[in-house]
Amino acid sequence: MKRSRLFTMLAATMALVCAFALAACGGSPASDEPADSGSAAASGADNSADITELIVGFDQAYPPYGFVGDDGEFTGFDLDLAAEVSQRCGWEVTYEPIDWDAKDTLLDSGAISCIWNGFTMEGREDDYTFSEPYMLNGQVVVVKADSGIESFDDLAGKTVITQVDSAALDVLEGDQADLAATFASLEQIGEYNTAFMQLESGAVDAVACDLSIAEYQMAANPDAYAQLPDMLSEEHYAVGFKKGNQQLADKVTETLREMDVDGTIEELCNKYAEYGISYDNWVLE
């Protein structure tokens, strides 16, 4: 026991001597500050743009911003934006289709770098660090063209469906709660493609969704659907990052601006024009 205790005391003493020796080798004057006070973590420095891979979290059933193309590959306006930004910044881009309900957990854990998928920023400013807004959006209501529904008043007693945790749901539970109270029911579903299938089948009377989604569906089925003339709300799309990742958000914003100046943005808008994307709705200058 004595030998063991002596050994322990000697080890502790040597550790203390080594600690002083290391401090002396550092050449820093003695200070009351913690030894790591100059580190990025301790100083609050934002190194979020120091990445080699941009992992883009997106809903793979959200055309035209992110979806599975006819060739089985991921495609979409936002995914193309992310790929071009990554190439210019020297990052590898990875597309990560996510469960929309799990987006916050995935972002906070670092499993994804950002949410880039027609992501509405209004009402979410306290939860994410955003790039500057780049695209005008709004929340609208789409009905079957022959439904006879022509205004919000005609939705009284009707069944309306929207995507779970969507901007449209936020509006209908918030500023437009009085309107939603007139519905027979407000249903929620995992993704909009199925919502429009239900509209087509007559299972629901209307879909509340993003303007971009409405434009995409109406472009694909010009005689099937009609958009009600009034908007539920008007808002903007931005890229959402983990709270505090301002440097990464600024880098993406700066690169998007460069892409607009050299004409790349307009080219991508034209590429997806048949899906309802318009350069007129680009707002980042």
Side-chain angles (χ1 to χ4, degrees), residues 120-200:
T120 300
M121 66 180 297
E122 280 82 0
R124 292 172 167 147
E125 294 90 342
D126 293 338
D127 301 322
Y128 307 89
T129 290
F130 280 101
S131 69
E132 290 189 30
Y134 61 89
M135 198 66 127
L136 177 68
N137 183 46
Q139 300 305 315
V140 299
V141 177
V142 177
V143 298
K144 293 181 72 172
D146 58 357
S147 67
I149 300 173
E150 299 178 352
S151 70
F152 287 168
D153 289 342
D154 295 331
L155 293 173
K158 306 297 185 183
T159 299
V160 180
I161 195 168
T162 191
Q163 182 172 313
V164 62
D165 198 28
S166 64
L169 180 63
D170 289 343
V171 171
L172 288 170
E173 292 182 337
D175 293 344
Q176 295 285 3
D178 289 344
L179 172 63
T182 69
F183 302 162
S185 65
L186 176 59
E187 307 291 334
Q188 298 180 43
I189 200 163
E191 44 91 12
Y192 276 122
N193 283 340
T194 306
F196 275 90
M197 290 173 61
Q198 293 203 13
L199 178 62
E200 180 65 25

Side-chain angles (χ1 to χ4, degrees), residues 12 18 29 40 50 56 68 84 86 99 101 111 153 171 174 182 187:
C18 289
D50 295 340
V56 178
V68 180
E84 181 66 22
S86 296
D99 179 344
D101 287 341
D153 289 342
V171 171
T182 69
E187 307 291 334

Side-chain angles (χ1 to χ4, degrees), residues 1-210:
M1 285 291 294
K2 289 182 180 180
R3 183 178 179 182
S4 175
R5 188 177 303 168
L6 178 60
F7 181 84
T8 300
M9 292 176 62
L10 286 171
T13 301
M14 289 300 296
L16 186 61
V17 170
C18 289
F20 279 114
L22 287 172
C25 289
S28 300
S31 171
D32 291 331
E33 295 296 322
D36 64 346
S37 61
S39 68
S43 65
D46 174 14
N47 297 321
S48 54
D50 295 340
I51 60 174
T52 58
E53 179 184 22
L54 186 73
I55 307 174
V56 178
F58 74 105
D59 178 353
Q60 64 178 323
Y62 201 78
Y65 287 86
F67 60 104
V68 180
D70 293 337
D71 59 359
E73 299 294 325
F74 295 133
T75 188
F77 180 69
D78 275 352
L79 299 190
D80 280 6
L81 288 180
E84 181 66 22
V85 166
S86 296
Q87 180 179 352
R88 295 185 183 211
C89 293
W91 304 329
E92 179 184 353
V93 66
T94 298
Y95 301 142
E96 188 63 42
I98 62 173
D99 179 344
W100 199 244
D101 287 341
K103 63 185 182 299
D104 294 342
T105 300
L106 294 170
L107 190 64
D108 290 341
S109 70
I112 58 176
S113 309
C114 62
I115 302 169
W116 199 335
N117 188 203
F119 195 41
T120 300
M121 66 180 297
E122 280 82 0
R124 292 172 167 147
E125 294 90 342
D126 293 338
D127 301 322
Y128 307 89
T129 290
F130 280 101
S131 69
E132 290 189 30
Y134 61 89
M135 198 66 127
L136 177 68
N137 183 46
Q139 300 305 315
V140 299
V141 177
V142 177
V143 298
K144 293 181 72 172
D146 58 357
S147 67
I149 300 173
E150 299 178 352
S151 70
F152 287 168
D153 289 342
D154 295 331
L155 293 173
K158 306 297 185 183
T159 299
V160 180
I161 195 168
T162 191
Q163 182 172 313
V164 62
D165 198 28
S166 64
L169 180 63
D170 289 343
V171 171
L172 288 170
E173 292 182 337
D175 293 344
Q176 295 285 3
D178 289 344
L179 172 63
T182 69
F183 302 162
S185 65
L186 176 59
E187 307 291 334
Q188 298 180 43
I189 200 163
E191 44 91 12
Y192 276 122
N193 283 340
T194 306
F196 275 90
M197 290 173 61
Q198 293 203 13
L199 178 62
E200 180 65 25
S201 71
V204 300
D205 301 296
V207 177
C209 63
D210 290 52

